[in-house]
Amino acid sequence: MDHASSSAPGRVVLALEDVGKSFGAVAALRGAQLELHAGEAHALVGENGAGKSTLVKILAGVHGPDTGRVLLDGQPVTLTDPAAARAAGIAVIYQEPTLFPDLSVAENIFMGRQPLLPGRRIDRRTLGRRCRELFDRLGVALDPDRPARGLSIADQQMVEIAKALSFDARVLVMDEPTAALSGVEVERLFAVARSLRDSGAAVLFISHRFDEVFDLCDRITVMRDGQWVSTDLARDLTVDQVVRRMVGREVSSLFPKIDVEPGEVVLEVRGLTRRGVFADVSFDVRAGEIVALAGLVGAGRSEIVRAVFGVDPYDAGSVRVGGEELRRGDPAAAMAAGIALVPEDRRQQGLVMELSVERNATLTRRWELARGGLLSSRAERAQAAEWSRKLQVKAGKLSDPVSTLSGGNQQKVVLAKWLSTEPRVLIVDEPTRGIDVGTKSEVHRLLSELAAGGLAVVMVSSELPEVLGMADRVLVVSEGRLVDDIPRARADEDSVMLAATGQGGTRAGAAR
Amino acid sequence: MSAPVTGTPAALPEELAAPERTGHRGSALVHRLFVVRELGILAALVLLVVVTVVANPRFLSGQNVRDLLLSAAILTVLAAGQTMVIVTRNVDLSVGSVLGLSAYATGTLLVVAPGTPVVVAVLAGTAVGAVCGLLNGLVVAAAGVPSLVVTLGTLYAFRGLDSLWASSADRLQINAADLPSGFKALGGARLLGVPVLFLVAVAVVLLVGWYLRTFRSGRELYGIGSAPEAARLSGIPVGRRVLTAFVVNGALAGLAGVLYAARFQTLDTTAGTGQELFVVAAAVVGGVAIFGGSGSVYGAALGALLLTTIGTALPQLGLDPFWRDAAVGALILAAIALDRALQLRLAARLRGRNARRDR
């Protein structure tokens, strides 16, 4: 597959060989490989969860690989911590800027590397001058002495870029740096990346924006499910080929969506807008339907459903359940109207880890189960037992803390907690994240049965196979806008990924 | 489409391009706000003194001022050390007990070996404090236990050690008569009319302030408190720096113990009880952010001076001393309100300069 290595310019500066990394039971990387040449810009692409960010963190010295080797100039190196990676000449620009809000812009850039006067005192004058030189080179007009607090995301990103530039990195890693940048700023960033490349540095560029990938990069490495898929010269590839390699999976039969004739419209969302987060989002969900919100991480999917449920505020638009308009920003009203939200991060938002299974399962109904203000343990236990049976929760005892359960069973407890409120609309955010394959299909079966029973289901998911297997309709969100509404018959990896990356879709043209 | 200034996945509009930002007004602005912060405390201090003098002209008599400075000296040294710890988003609640232990240790040393030079006694007390700080710092930095809990524990542990030592040595109280005259002279010594103990405190403040501003490791303490995760990612040895802050703070609490011994000359195991919260109050009133990352040791020192002055001035105004606690409480709330107001104003000003991008 690697046509490029023979014809690529320069020697190999940095290489990853057969790198593996697991977090608990989840393998984030398995046999990942990468070769960066001096004087090349190299793109790393892959779906959400393909292992790109883990790979970046290994290069940055944040994580150590479990298996495999990192080679710098052909010599194996151990990047024990971020300082070691930096000393090795590896600069990383993260997706989220990592600045010190209380310190000045100049100090942020030169933290730990401030120019010194005799006696190891910081030379503030030189510090300011070097910072201004960097900004001149980047063409930004930031004041070196202002604090980083209050900078726009784009300006924060420019500070990060200046930081990377300031220590003459041999390897510059950029993890989706352009998400918050405007066209001109992206051009400026690319100019810097090109000049670094031309002076012999290796640039690793991670992005979901294919136009930028093809614009900047000489070679493209595709990853999928934590594994290396291919590395090719960019000029030998098309966007379609790259997308196919990124998804490259058969949609497995693990996702048994039962066909249901959709009933009446239960949830109506009209023109929902939250400034700077999402804009003009409208959709309907019918009883018995599973509607998936697909898109890239950060596209605004979770934010949309959180606003629908009332946890987050919104600036304009309306949410109706069964024709009744909901008060905005009022989760209690949403619950009363029959919406249930199973959040993305069940450990943080869905469960009280130290409490027992039965307590967690009945948290949403504690008023109904109380007599005279006191919770009745017997009523709690009865209800928890009923739902555990329905959902086949595998727990030792219902009085065990929920933290002792596996991820899949924890998710069932969260579902039980919400289903016991007898909702009409169930919103699930990443319902199977971090759940092993076997339990995954059980969660899917459950959602499917619930829909068949007349529940309207809204599912946010970053896993394409799950989306394609489960959803009656796929709503694609890109950069805060609903860019496409794909019925089951037309939904496949290509159509969804193209819409999500802003490359295609019926409404996508308008948004780009 | 409106302005996504914050984290936004939405497409940025064209007019965001090519921002034309103004030059170097930021530094002046920030500088001014910090000066405002410290001037605020100074103004409160001056106001308090003026009011008190009007009510009681003897308030500014030489002896009275000297007493005031002596009392402030100990709190100021403690506040300087505490600032280093708070700036890293930690807190040390054990300083009162460390002061007590160090004072008792110094006193015991001088009783057992009356010929000990004063310098050695000072170093010994400081070393006792440094060891206490090392213990605190090791548990916080190595074991990752929140400093609030660790130092709450050592607050009682160090005090207990102090009592245990005093009772097993059968020396529950050390009196002025037991201490060598050379050491006692330190308590009353003056240089150009200013108490030497106060000069020591001033020197400590200047040194700590210089260190925090001028050295990489000093700036890194601010970085750690400002954004711990960013500090880790930028390769700052977070654990080592936090440990250092605790050791220095412990050493300064130890030094404060020696100053306490020299000033009061009667030592029992309750010395410094309750000082820890007063010290934190001084730092907060002085503009040191309790969540770390900002604030200066000069502000903390002014805070210490202000709190001490309140304690001295209220009786002179004919108010019951119990009002002191209420006044300190009101002052803390006022300081927090002021900080918040300044922060909002700074944020608004900084945002205003991005206004062009905000359409």
Side-chain angles (χ1 to χ4, degrees):
Chain A
M1 274 282 222
D2 193 345
H3 323 293
S5 52
S6 52
S7 59
R11 64 210 158 68
V12 177
V13 183
L14 184 75
L16 294 184
E17 280 184 356
D18 195 29
V19 166
K21 176 77 192 172
S22 297
F23 299 98
V26 182
L29 288 179
R30 291 170 294 169
Q33 50 174 302
L34 186 68
E35 264 187 8
L36 298 180
H37 299 256
E40 77 160 346
H42 193 122
L44 180 61
V45 298
E47 272 188 279
N48 301 329
K52 297 171 307 221
S53 289
T54 308
L55 194 146
V56 168
K57 290 207 165 130
I58 285 174
L59 291 179
V62 176
H63 297 319
D66 297 337
T67 60
R69 300 194 296 172
V70 180
L71 301 172
L72 193 68
D73 294 326
Q75 298 298 314
V77 286
T78 319
L79 303 171
T80 44
D81 55 32
R86 187 176 279 198
I90 302 173
V92 181
I93 298 173
Y94 294 96
Q95 210 168 344
E96 301 285 325
T98 52
L99 298 181
F100 306 107
D102 298 296
L103 301 185
S104 76
V105 164
E107 286 195 294
N108 263 286
I109 292 173
F110 290 96
M111 180 54 88
R113 298 174 295 116
Q114 295 97 334
L116 296 180
L117 292 165
R120 301 193 57 74
R121 289 174 295 139
I122 294 173
D123 181 350
R124 287 187 178 267
R125 190 170 303 163
T126 311
L127 179 68
R129 200 194 60 223
R130 286 230 207 126
C131 185
R132 274 188 290 278
E133 283 167 9
L134 280 173
F135 284 160
D136 287 346
R137 203 170 142 195
L138 283 169
V140 292
L142 278 175
D143 174 0
D145 294 317
R146 67 161 281 167
R149 189 185 299 283
L151 284 176
S152 70
I153 297 280
D155 282 343
Q156 291 183 38
Q157 204 59 275
M158 292 318 279
V159 174
E160 290 284 357
I161 291 160
K163 197 197 289 180
L165 198 59
S166 72
F167 62 101
D168 292 325
R170 304 171 57 210
V171 178
L172 174 65
V173 181
M174 302 190 287
D175 189 357
E176 297 197 44
T178 57
L181 301 188
S182 69
V184 176
E185 287 160 332
V186 169
E187 259 324 303
R188 226 177 270 149
L189 169 63
F190 281 11
V192 173
R194 285 195 187 97
S195 83
L196 273 175
R197 179 193 65 188
D198 295 342
S199 62
V203 176
L204 181 65
F205 180 63
I206 295 166
S207 177
H208 283 299
R209 297 184 178 172
F210 291 118
D211 47 349
E212 293 174 2
V213 164
F214 281 92
D215 184 20
L216 178 69
C217 295
D218 311 309
R219 290 196 302 159
I220 298 176
T221 290
V222 180
M223 285 182 71
R224 187 203 312 142
D225 298 335
Q227 285 174 308
W228 176 82
V229 175
S230 69
T231 301
D232 294 280
L233 284 175
R235 62 169 178 270
D236 296 340
L237 287 172
T238 64
V239 173
D240 270 357
Q241 280 172 312
V242 174
V243 168
R244 211 161 299 135
R245 285 179 193 176
M246 280 165 63
V247 284
R249 251 179 315 215
E250 294 304 311
V251 176
S252 76
S253 52
L254 278 175
F255 311 100
K257 168 71 171 101
I258 305 164
D259 274 326
V260 181
E261 193 58 41
E264 69 204 53
V265 172
V266 183
L267 178 69
E268 274 180 270
V269 177
R270 285 289 171 275
L272 209 62
T273 299
R274 184 173 175 203
R275 265 196 290 284
V277 184
F278 52 82
D280 197 21
V281 173
S282 302
F283 60 92
D284 289 341
V285 185
R286 293 169 179 278
E289 218 180 13
I290 297 184
V291 172
L293 283 181
L296 303 171
V297 168
R301 298 164 303 168
S302 298
E303 289 78 2
I304 292 171
V305 294
R306 285 170 60 86
V308 168
F309 187 61
V311 196
D312 288 351
Y314 51 90
D315 300 316
S318 67
V319 177
R320 286 166 192 275
V321 178
E324 294 287 315
E325 181 158 350
L326 291 185
R327 244 183 65 179
R328 67 177 69 171
D330 186 354
M335 279 170 72
I339 305 188
L341 173 72
V342 177
E344 181 173 15
D345 183 347
R346 60 179 170 273
R347 286 172 165 273
Q348 295 284 336
Q349 300 163 3
L351 291 170
V352 186
M353 299 307 285
E354 296 78 17
L355 287 187
S356 68
V357 173
E358 54 197 15
R359 267 285 150 82
N360 268 291
T362 55
L363 267 180
T364 47
R365 299 207 62 211
R366 55 192 187 282
W367 292 113
E368 291 84 343
L369 297 179
R371 285 235 180 87
L374 293 177
L375 268 176
S376 149
S377 308
R378 187 181 304 168
E380 266 190 326
R381 202 162 302 137
Q383 166 139 23
E386 183 194 332
W387 279 103
S388 309
R389 199 182 60 249
K390 278 190 199 163
L391 304 191
Q392 299 170 12
V393 175
K394 290 183 191 66
K397 286 198 303 280
L398 290 180
S399 53
D400 288 347
V402 83
S403 56
T404 60
L405 267 54
S406 71
N409 282 301
Q410 287 178 3
Q411 186 68 300
K412 289 186 194 169
V413 174
V414 183
L415 278 171
K417 165 177 141 178
W418 285 109
L419 292 174
S420 65
T421 63
E422 293 171 4
R424 303 165 70 188
V425 180
L426 176 68
I427 304 175
V428 283
D429 196 351
E430 302 288 358
T432 60
R433 171 169 292 172
I435 291 179
D436 57 283
V437 178
T439 324
K440 241 180 205 181
S441 62
E442 272 190 64
V443 172
H444 292 144
R445 175 186 56 77
L446 206 67
L447 289 176
S448 179
E449 283 173 10
L450 290 167
L455 192 65
V457 179
V458 179
M459 178 176 78
V460 175
S461 174
S462 296
E463 294 190 34
L464 263 185
E466 177 169 288
V467 167
L468 299 173
M470 295 291 297
D472 293 303
R473 280 189 297 134
V474 183
L475 303 177
V476 185
V477 183
S478 172
E479 306 197 333
R481 285 169 184 277
L482 219 54
V483 292
D484 211 347
D485 181 346
I486 311 176
R488 186 182 184 80
R490 280 205 296 115
D492 57 29
E493 296 95 330
D494 289 5
S495 60
V496 174
M497 272 315 275
L498 285 174
T501 52
Q503 301 291 319
T506 51
R507 296 196 232 167
R512 289 293 289 182
Chain B
M1 154 150 191
S2 62
V5 204
T6 48
T8 163
L12 296 171
E14 286 296 288
E15 61 262 38
L16 296 196
E20 188 189 304
R21 271 154 288 194
T22 44
H24 301 278
R25 279 172 42 215
S27 54
L29 176 68
V30 173
H31 189 67
R32 207 159 61 227
L33 282 174
F34 278 120
V35 170
V36 163
R37 187 64 184 78
E38 275 145 25
L39 280 182
I41 315 168
L42 211 55
L45 192 59
V46 169
L47 185 72
L48 180 65
V49 170
V50 167
V51 169
T52 315
V53 168
V54 167
N56 182 350
R58 274 177 311 166
F59 184 65
L60 277 187
S61 73
Q63 191 50 45
N64 211 354
V65 171
R66 274 194 294 276
D67 279 345
L68 180 72
L69 295 183
L70 274 176
S71 307
I74 294 165
L75 190 62
T76 303
V77 170
L78 288 175
Q82 191 70 253
T83 301
M84 282 184 70
V85 172
I86 294 182
V87 150
T88 66
R89 204 180 278 194
N90 282 291
V91 70
D92 188 345
L93 294 182
S94 71
V95 288
S97 301
V98 174
L99 183 153
L101 191 60
S102 149
Y104 186 80
T106 310
T108 303
L109 175 70
L110 290 167
V111 169
V112 174
T116 310
V118 171
V119 178
V120 174
V122 171
L123 290 178
T126 309
V128 168
V131 170
C132 293
L134 183 68
L135 283 174
N136 282 330
L138 279 177
V139 184
V140 171
V145 184
S147 54
L148 185 79
V149 183
V150 173
T151 58
L152 187 63
T154 52
L155 168 107
Y156 290 103
F158 293 150
R159 183 67 67 190
L161 196 65
D162 198 1
S163 305
L164 203 65
W165 185 8
S167 59
S168 68
D170 203 19
R171 193 183 291 118
L172 288 176
Q173 188 167 338
I174 296 170
N175 295 309
D178 308 330
L179 292 171
S181 54
F183 183 74
K184 282 188 282 189
L186 179 64
R190 293 185 215 163
L191 196 67
L192 303 173
V194 183
V196 166
L197 296 194
F198 183 71
L199 293 177
V200 169
V202 170
V204 164
V205 168
L206 292 178
L207 265 175
V208 173
W210 182 62
Y211 164 74
L212 283 178
R213 184 171 159 73
T214 318
F215 292 91
R216 283 180 179 174
S217 51
R219 301 315 296 164
E220 287 173 0
L221 292 182
Y222 281 95
I224 291 165
S226 188
E229 183 58 20
R232 213 169 59 84
L233 287 176
S234 47
I236 295 175
V238 175
R240 218 162 65 215
R241 293 283 175 268
V242 170
L243 181 65
T244 309
F246 271 97
V247 171
V248 172
N249 179 41
L252 289 179
L255 177 64
V258 179
L259 301 188
Y260 184 96
R263 170 155 156 69
F264 295 104
Q265 301 174 6
T266 303
L267 304 169
D268 59 24
T269 57
T270 62
T273 304
Q275 281 293 295
E276 52 281 335
L277 292 184
F278 212 49
V279 173
V280 175
V284 170
V285 166
V288 178
I290 198 74
F291 284 123
S294 77
S296 77
V297 69
Y298 309 114
L302 282 173
L305 193 59
L306 179 58
L307 293 196
T308 313
T309 311
I310 290 176
T312 325
L314 293 189
Q316 310 239 357
L317 286 170
L319 288 168
D320 202 296
F322 113 89
W323 280 102
R324 189 190 79 156
D325 288 352
V328 170
L331 208 57
I332 291 173
L333 294 179
I336 291 167
L338 178 65
D339 279 342
R340 186 75 192 133
L342 286 178
Q343 200 183 36
L344 288 177
R345 202 168 126 215
L346 178 64
R349 294 289 283 277
L350 289 174
R351 210 174 311 121
R353 296 195 293 142
N354 288 338
R356 214 179 320 266
R357 341 182 73 217
D358 232 89
R359 259 171 305 184

